[in-house]
């Protein structure tokens, strides 16, 4: 009896050993929900616009896809609406490592490298195809390379769209109608300031999240922005007139701290790069769709008197703004301006 029991025990031990050995050779699957804190990479993505904008939606999509594709190893935390860092604070936060990804408007990068101001020149682009050819080609590559010495790296260029003018005083059909009015402009962009100075208007640099109150308190008569920003931030509720001028492009540079980026494991970088490229295609299509949808809603509402410039009027506006190209050729560089105009 004892001998049989002993043999049975030996047999069970042998079976357990086989199970352990064969189980140890099997490929293990990482459960994203069970990744320990010391294994997880947490990336903070800060931006200044609303969640339901093209940038806001793309940031959330990127975060969700990266978490899925890394099986929980990477958690991208998105902080919209300046809840973490506001205009003027993001660059320093990225440089110090307080945040890992930002997506500032390209207009805010002129302080780092004057060439970025080329994208602010009025009527630098006539349509989004021209924008994408430039930013996905030599222009975008040169601008991205200009940030190397600052320790920044551009992962992608996202769209917002073309800017329109709004104000509370009168309809604007010609550049001369700008005279005597004050307009909020983005910080750090001499070109945007001068485009209003050129016609006797007063530019007022102001952080994005202060614009609604700035208009409401009559600190400025108006502002320039894309349809999606105008709609999602409710600017149309405190403005009376809008001109569909398409006078300037607004886009974003999705940026990381270069040293931080190359501290990440190679497989993580590869997943993030592939995901960012996919999300960029999605974001560009979404931006165009949202601007079209929101414009229709604005036209159907009674909040704004909307003036649409004819093609002939736009040509007149473009000609009127041309002196800015000569004024900023020295700062921006003729080579970059000429490269930009190849895509027109």
């Amino acid at each position: 009896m004892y001998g049989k029991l002993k043999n049975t025990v030996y047999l069970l031990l042998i079976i357990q050993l086989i199970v352990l050995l064969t189980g140890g050779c099997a490929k293990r699957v990482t459960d994203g929900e069970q990744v320990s804190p010391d294994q997880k990479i947490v990336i903070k993505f800060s931006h200044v616009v609303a969640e339901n904008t093209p940038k806001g939606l793309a940031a959330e999509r990127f975060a969700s896809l990266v978490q899925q594709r890394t099986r929980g190893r990477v958690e991208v935390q998105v902080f919209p609406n300046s809840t973490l860092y506001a205009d003027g604070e993001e660059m320093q936060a990225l440089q110090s490592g307080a945040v890992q990804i930002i997506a500032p408007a390209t207009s805010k990068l002129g302080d780092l490298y004057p060439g970025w101001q080329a994208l602010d020149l009025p009527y630098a682009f006539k349509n989004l195809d021209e924008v994408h050819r430039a930013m996905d080609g030599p222009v975008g590559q040169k601008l991205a390379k200009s940030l190397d010495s600052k320790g920044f790296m551009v992962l992608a260029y996202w769209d917002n769209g073309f800017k329109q003018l709004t104000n509370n005083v009168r309809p604007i059909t010609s550049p001369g109608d700008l005279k005597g009015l004050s307009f909020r402009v983005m910080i750090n962009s001499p070109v945007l300031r001068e485009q209003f100075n050129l016609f006797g208007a007063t530019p007022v640099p102001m952080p994005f999240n202060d614009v609604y109150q700035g208009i409401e308190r009559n600190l400025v008569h108006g502002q320039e922005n894309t349809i999606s920003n105008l709609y999602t931030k409710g600017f149309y509720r405190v403005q009376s007139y809008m001109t569909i001028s398409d006078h300037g492009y607004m886009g974003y540079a999705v940026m990381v701290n270069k040293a931080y980026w190359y501290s990440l494991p190679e497989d993580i970088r590869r997943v993030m790069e592939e995901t960012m490229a996919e999300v960029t295609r999605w974001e560009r299509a979404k931006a165009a769709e949202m601007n079209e949808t929101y414009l229709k809603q604005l036209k159907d509402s009674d909040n704004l008197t909307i003036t649409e410039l004819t093609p002939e009027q736009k040509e007149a506006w473009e000609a009127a703004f041309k002196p800015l190209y000569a004024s900023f050729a020295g700062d921006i560089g003729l080579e970059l301006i000429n490269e930009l105009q190849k895509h027109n």
Side-chain angles (χ1 to χ4, degrees):
M1 180 72 179
Y2 174 76
K4 289 182 179 180
L5 179 62
K6 186 176 180 181
N7 288 339
T8 301
V9 170
Y10 283 154
L11 180 60
L12 288 173
L13 287 173
I14 290 170
I15 292 171
Q16 286 179 331
L17 181 60
I18 292 171
V19 169
L20 285 172
L21 288 173
T22 56
C25 293
K27 184 177 180 180
R28 297 188 181 185
V29 177
T30 304
D31 182 351
E33 298 300 320
Q34 302 299 322
V35 174
S36 65
D38 60 323
Q39 292 176 306
K40 182 175 286 189
I41 298 169
V42 177
I43 294 175
K44 295 178 181 178
F45 188 156
S46 173
H47 66 82
V48 303
V49 299
E51 298 98 319
N52 56 338
T53 57
K55 177 164 64 172
L57 293 170
E60 291 290 352
R61 188 179 184 87
F62 175 74
S64 176
L65 289 174
V66 166
Q67 185 158 20
Q68 290 174 30
R69 292 169 181 179
T70 62
R71 296 182 179 273
R73 283 179 66 194
V74 178
E75 179 186 354
V76 179
Q77 300 175 347
V78 180
F79 297 88
N81 264 325
S82 299
T83 52
L84 195 59
Y85 294 101
D87 276 350
E89 301 172 346
E90 289 182 312
M91 301 303 297
Q92 186 176 354
L94 185 64
Q95 201 161 37
S96 69
V99 67
Q100 286 71 50
I101 303 180
I102 62 174
T106 57
S107 303
K108 297 168 189 171
L109 301 175
D111 278 356
L112 294 176
Y113 176 66
W116 287 89
Q117 297 176 71
L119 305 181
D120 285 338
L121 289 168
Y123 296 100
F125 305 103
K126 290 184 175 64
N127 54 57
L128 289 173
D129 285 340
E130 289 183 3
V131 171
H132 299 157
R133 286 199 300 273
M135 302 314 291
D136 295 340
V139 171
Q141 292 166 12
K142 182 171 184 175
L143 292 175
K145 190 174 181 180
S146 73
L147 301 180
D148 279 352
S149 63
K150 309 295 182 182
F152 299 128
M153 179 178 171
V154 176
L155 294 180
Y157 293 106
W158 287 357
D159 284 343
N160 191 323
F162 287 96
K163 293 182 289 185
Q164 322 303 340
L165 290 165
T166 64
N167 81 99
N168 279 329
V169 179
R170 56 177 173 261
I172 294 172
T173 58
S174 71
D177 294 331
L178 299 171
K179 187 174 183 179
L181 303 183
S182 58
F183 290 87
R184 176 265 176 176
V185 296
M186 280 188 279
I187 59 176
N188 298 343
S189 177
V191 171
L192 297 185
R193 293 196 297 270
E194 286 306 308
Q195 75 177 0
F196 287 109
N197 284 331
L198 185 63
F199 298 102
T202 302
V204 181
M206 186 183 294
F208 181 68
N209 263 36
D210 295 344
V211 177
Y212 188 99
Q213 287 188 341
I215 297 169
E216 195 174 38
R217 295 175 181 176
N218 295 315
L219 300 179
V220 291
H221 294 120
Q223 56 89 52
E224 57 168 6
N225 233 304
T226 61
I227 297 294
S228 64
N229 277 355
L230 192 152
Y231 190 90
T232 57
K233 296 298 284 188
F235 298 158
Y236 66 93
R237 298 191 189 103
V238 288
Q239 296 275 254
S240 301
Y241 304 99
M242 180 170 73
T243 300
I244 306 297
S245 54
D246 293 328
H247 64 279
Y249 169 74
M250 184 191 293
Y252 306 113
V254 185
M255 298 166 57
V256 294
N257 181 297
K258 192 172 182 179
Y260 173 78
W261 178 255
Y262 284 105
S263 73
L264 295 172
E266 185 178 353
D267 63 323
I268 294 295
R269 294 202 310 269
R270 184 168 58 253
V271 170
M272 291 179 69
E273 284 173 349
E274 291 171 355
T275 303
M276 182 60 73
E278 177 186 325
V279 170
T280 295
R281 293 189 293 272
W282 180 89
E283 190 277 342
R284 289 174 174 180
K286 192 68 175 176
E289 174 194 322
M290 291 179 73
N291 281 316
E292 184 178 339
T293 299
Y294 288 145
L295 178 58
K296 185 179 185 304
Q297 292 182 24
L298 289 173
K299 287 179 177 180
D300 290 342
S301 73
D302 297 324
N303 293 88
L304 287 170
T305 298
I306 300 176
T307 299
E308 292 196 57
L309 298 184
T310 65
E312 293 76 21
Q313 286 174 317
K314 284 185 179 180
E315 286 181 9
W317 278 61
E318 184 176 356
F321 279 115
K322 274 299 179 186
L324 288 178
Y325 284 70
S327 298
F328 284 92
D331 290 338
I332 295 171
L334 276 174
E335 181 183 350
L336 187 55
I337 290 177
N338 290 338
E339 186 66 48
L340 198 66
Q341 293 182 324
K342 285 182 184 177
H343 301 280
N344 290 9

